[in-house]
Amino acid sequence: MSTLSKGNLFDPTLVADLINKVKGKSSLAVLAPQAPVAFNGQKEFTFTMDSDIDVVAENGKKTHGGVTVDPLTIVPIKVEYGARVSDEFLYASEEDQIDIIKAFNDGYAKKLARGLDIMAFHGLNPRSKTASAVISDNHFDKKVAQTVDFTAANPDQNVEAAVAMIQGAEGTVTGMALDPVFSAALAAMRTGDTTNVRLFPELAWGANPGSINGLPADINSTVTAGTDDVAIIGDFANMFKWGYAKEIPLEVIQYGDPDNSGQDLKGYNQVYLRSETYLGWGILDASSFARIKKPTTGE
């Protein structure tokens, strides 16, 4: 038990469990593969051939094709979550302590998953719901200029318009994240003929099928999170990178006021559980994405 009275790491099983839960609750984790991020930051490069291949005649002249290399630095940021529990935690049996830690791990995974989306989609601090100076412009709402106005009566047409924008910029579409409002609008669409069947029956009753028309998709309220976005579509598989920079520590704090609540832990017979994670992400090519959003009032 004494090892739990000081900062220590989640064991590998709990870390793996946490990451798996994040993948189940974050649209970005569902649509984009995770890769480790260097603690001090790392550069990702998009390498573009400027021309097509050239036919060369016998004894003919070769010409310059050209390449463009654009670097993007991914710098991880620190996020944390903490909670007060009774100091009986310190005196409980090892099995009971493990149950509490597992419950904390489960809750933290959900908050971490939701936070990743809110930060990378919108640049907001998930707790305060305000713009984060730490995140700055490193988010979809700032970088992705290609937008389509949401039409509740024909959301399918909105998706087609977004796809056309991306393909017009020579991009690829590998996935879509959509808000429940947008998925409900898709689910309500019908053929309009004598049969009047659903166009997207897999979305009926709030289902989250994992793909729509063969396109990987995830339905999540984090797509909006208080903004005008209702769907984000694009090349998540290749043009968005995210990952953890280090192992995830769990700290059991016995003294002081670690959450700045004005209440001393010892004075209230409490201990404080805190987890911190370093997360990094980057949008390699903003033209490979498009946002479907609610029209601005007055437009």
Side-chain angles (χ1 to χ4, degrees), residues 285-298:
D285 178 21
S287 65
S288 291
F289 297 92
R291 296 183 292 123
I292 301 173
K293 64 183 189 67
K294 298 173 185 176
T296 303
T297 304

Side-chain angles (χ1 to χ4, degrees), residues 101-116:
I101 292 172
K102 284 182 176 178
F104 185 84
N105 182 69
D106 182 62
Y108 183 57
K110 295 173 182 177
K111 294 300 183 181
L112 190 60
R114 178 174 171 81
L116 170 62

Side-chain angles (χ1 to χ4, degrees), residues 4-63:
L4 291 175
S5 65
K6 60 182 180 180
N8 63 302
L9 296 175
F10 281 119
D11 65 52
T13 301
L14 283 175
V15 172
D17 182 56
L18 186 148
I19 292 173
N20 285 334
K21 285 186 170 73
V22 168
K23 289 180 179 178
K25 301 294 182 180
S26 162
S27 291
L28 286 170
V30 168
L31 299 172
Q34 177 212 341
V37 176
F39 183 75
N40 292 323
Q42 67 189 46
K43 283 189 177 181
E44 296 282 345
F45 295 92
T46 53
F47 190 87
T48 306
M49 299 289 193
D50 297 334
S51 305
D52 287 322
I53 59 173
D54 192 20
V55 174
V56 182
E58 186 176 357
N59 299 318
K61 181 178 68 174
K62 299 181 180 70
T63 60

Side-chain angles (χ1 to χ4, degrees), residues 71 98 130 154 185 207 282-283:
I98 290 173
T130 58
N154 199 346
I283 303 167

